Every structure is written in structure tokens, then in C-alpha cells.
């Protein structure tokens, strides 16, 4: 029971601290889940995040569910999911009643502009950390470049990039294995 409470509390803290959506949660997940708690490896977190992005639902919730399930089974998945959404439910319920009264204030708009910039930097830093562990050889560098260019010039769902990257990964690794 103590481990489930720790799981809930860990994800609830992340839920409170995450502004900007699931992508902004990545550096917090990486620090808390990989570095501090050791509930998942960098590679597992990257996989969970990729799967969470291409499955229906919110990335942060999907990722929390995967991590909770890995750590403590079905109960862990449920508890982690509840933990990550609980703070948002409370905060949104409070803000919903107040937002219309304050949205036009300059300081509120400026605060959100500052938060958006901060979130971009946090995502960028997390991406660089994940890239160091993901782009490890020529095949993964090719996949990285293809997805980077494709996502820059095409306006299609990230699901397609993930599927194409998976196929390219399979093909390149199989070619590499045949050569060896």
C-alpha cells in the first residue's frame, strides 16, 4: 500500500508542476522516474512517451499509466493515472470559475507568455537528453534526420512519423545485422 501511495504522490507532484501539457512533463518525468526513483530506464521512458503520443488520450496520462503498470501492475497503472490527473482536476475546477474574470488582464497574459517560453526550453533540454541516448549510431541518426525533416515540412499526425520510424528502424537494423 505504501508503494501505491508513493506512486500516487509522485505523479500528483508531477501533475501539479506540469504546465504546458504532456511535452512539458518530459523533463520532470525523466528526473523523477528515471534518475530519482529508477522505475524506468531512459529507453523505457522514451518508448512509453512515443507510444503515449500515438495512442488516444493525453500523453502525460498515457505515460503515467505505462510507468505505473510496469512498477506495480494494474493497480499501479490506475494509481499513477489518478495521481497525474488529480491536481489538474482540482486546479481546472478552481480556474474555470475565475478565468473569465482575469483572462483580459495584461499581467495574466504576460505570465502565460513567460510560461510558454519556459516550457519550450524545458522540452528542448529534455529532447537533447533523450537524443543522446536514442541517436546512438548511423541507423538511428538516419531515422532522426528523416523524422526531423519530415515533421518540419509536412503537416501530418505524429502517429505516421512514429510508424514510419519503426519501419525504418526495423529495415536498417535488419540490413545492419545481415552485413555483420
Amino acid at each position: 500500500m505504501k508503494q501505491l501511495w508513493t506512486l500516487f504522490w509522485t505523479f500528483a507532484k508531477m501533475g501539479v508542476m506540469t504546465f504546458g501539457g504532456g511535452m512539458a512533463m518530459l523533463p520532470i518525468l525523466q528526473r523523477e522516474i528515471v534518475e530519482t526513483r529508477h522505475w524506468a530506464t531512459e529507453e523505457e521512458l522514451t518508448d512509453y512517451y512515443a507510444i503515449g503520443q500515438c495512442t488516444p488520450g493525453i500523453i502525460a496520462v498515457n505515460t503515467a499509466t505505462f510507468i505505473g503498470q510496469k512498477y506495480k501492475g494494474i493497480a499501479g497503472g490506475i494509481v499513477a493515472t489518478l495521481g497525474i490527473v488529480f491536481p489538474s482536476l482540482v486546479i481546472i475546477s478552481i480556474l474555470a470559475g475565475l478565468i473569465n474574470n482575469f483572462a483580459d488582464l495584461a499581467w495574466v497574459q504576460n505570465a502565460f507568455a513567460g510560461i510558454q517560453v519556459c516550457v519550450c526550453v524545458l522540452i528542448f533540454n529534455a529532447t537533447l537528453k533523450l537524443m543522446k541516448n536514442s541517436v546512438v549510431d548511423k541507423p538511428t541518426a538516419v531515422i532522426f534526420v528523416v523524422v526531423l525533416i519530415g515533421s518540419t515540412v509536412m503537416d501530418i499526425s505524429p502517429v505516421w512519423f512514429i510508424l514510419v520510424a519503426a519501419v525504418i528502424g526495423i529495415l536498417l537494423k535488419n540490413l545492419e545485422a545481415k552485413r555483420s
Side-chain angles (χ1 to χ4, degrees), residues 4-14 37 79 83:
L4 290 175
W5 173 250
T6 300
L7 192 63
F8 176 86
W9 183 242
T10 300
F11 279 99
K13 286 189 298 186
M14 281 188 264
R37 305 262 180 213
V79 167

Side-chain angles (χ1 to χ4, degrees), residues 14-67:
M14 281 188 264
V16 167
M17 309 257 267
T18 304
F19 292 92
M23 294 300 232
M25 178 190 205
L26 190 54
I28 298 169
L29 265 172
Q30 186 174 3
R31 185 180 59 249
E32 226 10 76
I33 302 305
V34 175
E35 296 170 13
T36 303
R37 305 262 180 213
H38 307 291
W39 289 342
T41 65
E42 291 268 352
E43 293 78 19
E44 288 172 327
L45 180 60
T46 302
D47 290 344
Y48 296 153
Y49 213 74
I51 294 167
Q53 187 171 13
C54 66
T55 53
I58 301 167
I59 298 168
V61 173
N62 293 347
T63 304
T65 305
F66 290 138
I67 292 167

Side-chain angles (χ1 to χ4, degrees), residues 49-51 53-55 147 157-167:
Y49 213 74
I51 294 167
Q53 187 171 13
C54 66
T55 53
V147 172
S157 170
V159 174
W160 291 110
F161 290 111
I162 292 169
L163 292 174
V164 168
V167 170

